[in-house]
Amino acid sequence: MNALIEKYKGIHPGIVLERLLNKKAISQRPFALSIGEHPQTINAITKGRRKLNIALALKIEEKLSLEEGSLALLQTYFDIKEQKMTLPLIHVLNNCT
C-alpha cells in the first residue's frame, strides 16, 4: 500500500486533494477546468461536502501523477470509517422500539 494511503487513511480524499493542490501551488478553478470538471465540483470535494467518485479520482490522479486508485481507496476508507461510526447509533435506535 502506498505512503499516501497509509498517511491519510480515514481522512476525506478532498482534504488530501486540497493539500496536494496547495503544495503544488495550483488553484482549484484552473485545475478543475484542466480535467474537464466544474470548479464547484472540485470545491465541494475539497471541503468534504461531496464524495469522490472513481472516474473523477482517476482523472485527478493522472493529472497530479498520483498512483492509480490511491484517491479512490482513500474515499473507500473514509466511507468505512463513517459507516462504523453510525453502526452503534443504528443499533441503539433499533433497540429503543
Side-chain angles (χ1 to χ4, degrees), residues 35-94:
I35 59 172
E37 289 294 329
H38 293 283
Q40 297 90 335
T41 300
I42 298 298
N43 185 265
I45 290 168
T46 60
K47 301 302 178 203
R49 295 189 310 257
R50 183 175 177 159
K51 289 185 176 189
L52 182 61
N53 65 52
I54 293 172
L56 182 51
L58 289 171
K59 287 198 281 188
I60 293 169
E61 291 160 356
E62 182 179 350
K63 187 71 172 181
L64 295 178
S65 301
L66 300 173
E67 184 177 339
E68 187 177 88
S70 57
L71 291 176
L73 279 172
L74 286 177
Q75 182 65 60
T76 300
Y77 282 122
F78 179 78
D79 292 345
I80 290 168
K81 179 183 169 190
E82 278 200 327
Q83 187 64 36
K84 282 183 174 181
M85 289 172 51
T86 62
L87 287 176
L89 179 60
I90 291 170
H91 181 71
V92 168
L93 292 174
N94 286 337

Side-chain angles (χ1 to χ4, degrees), residues 22-33:
N22 289 339
K23 187 175 180 180
K24 294 178 183 243
I26 302 172
S27 297
Q28 286 183 22
R29 180 177 177 76
F31 178 74
L33 297 174

